[in-house]
Amino acid sequence: MGASLSYPEVDLAGKVAIVTGGNTGIGYETGKALARMGARVTLACRSEERATEAIKKMRSELAEAKPVSGEDINVEFMALDLASLASARDFAKAYLARSLPLHLLILNAGMAMLPLQLTDDGLEKHFQVNYLSHLLILLHLLELLSSSGPDVRVISVSSDGYEYGTLDLKNMDGSESYGRMKFYGNSKLYQIMMTLYLQKKLREIAFFCLHPGKIARGMSDSTFLMVMAKIFVAMGRSPEKGAATSINAAVNPAFANEKALYFEDCKPVALHSLAKNETRHEQLWEYSIKLLRKFIDDDCASKLTDMGLTISSSSEAVGSPGDEDD
């Protein structure tokens, strides 16, 4: 790959970051870079065992590389299962209970190319893991983000696969038709749509999204993806290189006053028209909030309303896509 992939070394002392899926792949490399620069980093992962191993490895790899801030690295684990909306809510509430600020929220974890699967919440798995659970976490943390100081950034790791996506509210669960690439692309499109929607509503936070490049490993343990990975190895990039775009979007001072950027190869690039369709943004927001409303208590809903976001009443909440009558 001929792209120039680089980011500046920035002193992040005093900054606090969350990286979902930070125990492997580009999430691991992103968390490691932020820690090296002095940020306090929380790795939000399903497995405490794997996260503990990742933190041990990270400390070992950074032992000879003194952090930019001159301080010891500060990395910790918090439990998060994105296939459970209750877990996503509980993670956010547990983080809030720690009374820490939050300057960088890296929504990195994801799954790709799965056969049709529904979560225990009754939702198509790409949709929930890649998009909806991340949105639920973000909604709970928005007030904290907005009050944590200047240059607060939310980074959604999307994909150029969004170009294959559509918003079909009658087939969100794949019951009418399903394709692995299609539903992966849908979830990545929704990440970008929500980045643009929230940025229009909330100007005090920078919402960025990005395509990390084709990464041969570190996304999912699905058999299909392992086969695809063998194809990507020859033309793809390592997790270290793949993380460069996430890190650059998160720390580069050149983007301190920018909003709603989409990055590829560490540079802002233009989005295709569907991703920018504001009518579709509104439809996706309304659909998503109805699914999430029962996981958002009235206090959180009131705060979101005060921030300018339209939150349906709890009586309008639905339990699964089948309850939606679009």
Side-chain angles (χ1 to χ4, degrees):
M1 309 281 290
S4 175
L5 301 172
S6 63
Y7 53 85
E9 292 291 323
V10 178
D11 186 349
L12 297 179
K15 300 292 186 181
V16 183
I18 293 172
V19 182
T20 67
N23 64 307
T24 188
I26 62 175
Y28 172 84
E29 297 298 335
T30 301
K32 183 172 72 172
L34 298 178
R36 188 186 69 245
M37 295 183 205
R40 178 172 180 170
V41 179
T42 294
L43 305 183
C45 320
R46 280 181 300 168
S47 169
E48 183 173 4
E49 179 181 358
R50 291 181 183 179
T52 300
E53 291 173 357
I55 292 170
K56 182 178 179 181
K57 177 185 176 186
M58 193 179 292
R59 291 186 185 282
S60 175
E61 291 176 347
L62 293 178
E64 300 301 321
K66 196 169 183 62
V68 174
S69 67
E71 301 176 2
D72 292 335
I73 68 166
N74 189 342
V75 185
E76 53 207 336
F77 158 78
M78 286 185 68
L80 170 63
D81 181 0
L82 292 165
S84 164
L85 291 174
S87 175
R89 176 201 58 204
D90 292 347
F91 166 80
K93 288 193 170 187
Y95 186 86
L96 290 171
R98 302 173 71 188
S99 299
L100 292 171
L102 182 59
H103 306 95
L104 297 169
L105 177 57
I106 317 294
L107 304 175
N108 164 84
M111 310 188 85
M113 312 302 179
L114 298 173
L116 178 58
Q117 297 179 32
L118 299 183
T119 67
D120 289 344
D121 293 302
L123 302 167
E124 193 277 320
K125 202 163 191 178
H126 292 105
F127 172 75
Q128 180 167 334
V129 171
N130 294 355
Y131 163 70
L132 194 67
S133 287
H134 276 140
L135 177 59
L136 180 59
I137 292 167
L138 176 55
L139 292 176
H140 279 87
L141 297 180
L142 274 178
E143 184 186 39
L144 176 63
L145 285 159
S146 66
S147 64
S148 290
D151 197 16
V152 169
R153 305 184 193 188
V154 175
I155 314 295
S156 292
V157 180
S158 182
S159 166
D160 63 357
Y162 84 87
E163 297 173 19
Y164 298 96
T166 57
L167 179 60
D168 180 357
L169 296 177
K170 295 180 179 179
N171 190 38
M172 299 295 278
D173 61 354
S175 59
E176 294 187 5
S177 63
Y178 182 82
R180 299 175 195 238
M181 186 64 207
K182 181 69 172 177
F183 274 71
Y184 170 71
N186 288 349
S187 70
K188 294 299 164 178
L189 174 64
Y190 306 155
Q191 286 180 293
I192 295 171
M193 285 181 162
M194 200 49 53
T195 292
L196 301 181
Y197 179 85
L198 290 172
Q199 190 68 89
K200 185 177 178 181
K201 302 287 185 178
L202 306 167
R203 301 300 296 175
E204 62 271 25
I205 302 168
F207 294 89
F208 298 156
C209 50
L210 61 94
H211 169 56
K214 292 181 175 65
I215 312 300
R217 53 192 173 87
M219 171 71 79
S220 166
D221 58 1
S222 72
T223 302
F224 182 83
L225 190 63
M226 293 303 102
V227 174
M228 294 298 293
K230 293 177 182 179
I231 300 172
F232 288 160
V233 164
M235 59 190 245
R237 57 183 54 154
S238 67
E240 294 88 342
K241 290 182 178 178
T245 300
S246 296
I247 299 163
N248 192 49
V251 308
N252 197 324
F255 307 124
N257 297 312
E258 299 291 339
K259 298 288 188 285
L261 296 179
Y262 172 73
F263 294 82
E264 289 186 10
D265 297 331
C266 291
K267 301 182 297 293
V269 298
L271 285 162
H272 288 205
S273 58
L274 176 60
K276 298 185 288 186
N277 186 313
E278 294 187 0
T279 298
R280 303 303 265 168
H281 295 175
E282 291 283 352
Q283 292 171 341
L284 177 62
W285 170 259
E286 291 174 6
Y287 180 81
S288 301
I289 289 300
K290 285 183 178 180
L291 291 175
L292 294 178
R293 186 60 181 87
K294 68 179 181 178
F295 296 94
I296 300 172
D297 63 32
D298 289 341
D299 180 61
C300 180
S302 177
K303 292 174 181 177
L304 293 170
T305 300
D306 290 344
M307 296 177 77
L309 297 172
T310 302
I311 307 297
S312 58
S313 69
S314 55
S315 63
E316 296 179 82
V318 297
S320 70
D323 295 323
E324 176 68 30
D325 43 16
D326 276 289

